[in-house]
Amino acid sequence: MASHRKSRPSGTRVAGIRTPALATAALTSVALLSQTATAAPADDKPSLEEVEKKVGDLYRQAETATEKYNGAKEKTAKQREQVDTLLDDVAERTQKLNEAREELGSFAAAQYRSGAAAPDTATFLLADSPQDYFDQTQLMGRMTSRQKSAVDEYVTEQSATMKKRQEATESLQSLTETQSDLKTAKATVQTKLADARDLLSKLTAEEKARLAAIEKEKQEEATRKAAELARQQAAEQKAAQEAARQQESSAPSSSSTAVTDSSYATKAAKALAFARTQIGKPYVWGATGPESYDCSGLTQAAWNAAGISLPRTTYDQVNAGTTVSLSAAQPGDLVFFYDDVTHVGLYIGNGMMIHAPKPGAYVREESIYYDGESAIHSVVRPA
């Protein structure tokens, strides 16, 4: 007799539940995916390329903060000098006012002795001005012209002194705000540099070697681009000289241009000679020499050696001259970098420059393409 018992389906029991083979496979996949998801966060270390980009970004952010620091420091010095001058002026004026007040008080006492009116010292000292006091006590009519003149001078000086006191108060407030900006910029620089050092310290010896290899490749490409620019500039210069020879009729104009170029070349040579003697000195943010420099501190010092005064920060230096094309760059020109104009170097020709690169580095000659062609912002001729 045929059995009516159903055959048992193949599969296994999980927690008392019979599961088909397909469900078992699905559960296995879920378990494996779960294990993978759990293990993934353990390997969240950034790639070497990410570290390089992050470190580069931190250095640029530090340089941005450095230029803000430089600007705030320069502004602080000027404001402090202004405040000191105002305070000295206020003190001197106050002394004169005190002396004048005593003299006017003696006028009131003299009038009292002559029987004109009773002196009221409190009223005199609290009056808005000696003029008010003498009007109130009806003494103005009895004063001599010299005494009346003294009152007028006192009132004028008092008004000027009050104005100077207000200026000093406002200048002190502005100085306090600038000092706060200075403190903030300094803290930002220190934080960004600490973050960069922390990232680099976590690299293994092998990773550091790979990072050095990447940097070497970048420098080789930068050198190639510099040589390419040098060839372009040489070709353009040769073409310009040929055109000049063919236009002898414009000799007066050409002569004037030649004199101008010669004058600039002489000054630029002095600036470059100074910059070359600084090669090997360390980059220190906020430094202007003579033992260390930041980027704008170096260019400022170099052109100062040539008798040209440049502003302190890159933001101001970029506007302290005539902008020229990269292909027309001459030795001595300032080359600025990045959209926020936070780095500068001194062009020496052939696509190369002298600059103070970044913390941990030294003043050196390097291709202007050291951080890629897109990093170049502009070229400025400062004299």
Side-chain angles (χ1 to χ4, degrees), residues 57-58 104 134-136 163 181 185 231 272 280 303 320 355 375 383:
D57 288 344
L58 286 169
L104 292 176
F134 285 109
D135 285 342
Q136 292 166 12
K163 184 178 180 180
D181 292 341
R231 288 192 293 271
L272 290 172
W303 270 104
H355 71 147

Side-chain angles (χ1 to χ4, degrees), residues 68-110:
K68 290 181 179 178
Y69 171 87
N70 291 339
K73 185 177 180 181
E74 185 176 47
K75 187 177 180 181
T76 297
K78 291 179 180 179
Q79 288 179 330
R80 185 176 287 113
E81 183 178 353
Q82 181 183 27
V83 167
D84 289 343
T85 299
L86 284 170
L87 291 177
D88 288 343
D89 191 11
V90 168
E92 184 177 347
R93 288 176 179 273
T94 300
Q95 178 63 29
K96 290 181 179 179
L97 280 175
N98 289 336
E99 293 173 356
R101 183 179 286 273
E102 291 176 5
E103 183 179 2
L104 292 176
S106 68
F107 292 163

Side-chain angles (χ1 to χ4, degrees), residues 104-152:
L104 292 176
S106 68
F107 292 163
Q111 295 294 335
Y112 169 68
R113 286 192 296 271
S114 67
D120 184 346
T121 305
T123 302
F124 174 69
L125 293 176
L126 294 175
D128 291 337
S129 73
Q131 181 81 42
D132 295 337
Y133 172 77
F134 285 109
D135 285 342
Q136 292 166 12
T137 56
Q138 300 179 343
L139 292 177
M140 285 298 289
R142 291 176 170 271
M143 283 188 171
T144 65
S145 60
R146 185 180 70 81
Q147 291 171 334
K148 290 179 180 180
S149 177
V151 172
D152 291 339

Side-chain angles (χ1 to χ4, degrees), residues 66-67 69-70 189 193 281-289 291-298 312 356-363:
T66 294
E67 291 305 311
Y69 171 87
N70 291 339
V189 174
L193 294 181
K281 293 184 178 180
Y283 174 103
V284 174
W285 65 273
T288 56
E291 300 303 324
S292 58
Y293 298 88
D294 62 16
C295 66
S296 56
L298 175 64
R312 175 65 183 91
K358 60 185 178 182
Y362 298 84
V363 176

Side-chain angles (χ1 to χ4, degrees), residues 236-249:
E236 290 183 2
Q237 184 178 15
K238 183 177 180 181
Q241 290 173 343
E242 181 63 27
R245 282 194 293 268
Q246 294 177 359
Q247 295 179 350
E248 294 180 359
S249 59

Side-chain angles (χ1 to χ4, degrees), residues 243-259:
R245 282 194 293 268
Q246 294 177 359
Q247 295 179 350
E248 294 180 359
S249 59
S250 60
S253 175
S254 298
S255 175
S256 176
T257 301
V259 170

Side-chain angles (χ1 to χ4, degrees), residues 209-282:
R210 285 171 54 201
L211 192 62
I214 292 174
E215 181 64 22
K216 183 179 179 181
E217 289 179 5
K218 286 177 61 178
Q219 293 305 314
E220 289 174 349
E221 174 62 14
T223 300
R224 186 189 67 77
K225 291 288 293 181
E228 183 180 310
L229 176 62
R231 288 192 293 271
Q232 178 188 351
Q233 290 178 327
E236 290 183 2
Q237 184 178 15
K238 183 177 180 181
Q241 290 173 343
E242 181 63 27
R245 282 194 293 268
Q246 294 177 359
Q247 295 179 350
E248 294 180 359
S249 59
S250 60
S253 175
S254 298
S255 175
S256 176
T257 301
V259 170
T260 301
D261 290 346
S262 175
S263 174
Y264 178 74
T266 300
K267 295 174 183 176
K270 292 179 180 179
L272 290 172
F274 176 90
R276 286 191 172 93
T277 63
Q278 311 311 308
I279 290 176
K281 293 184 178 180

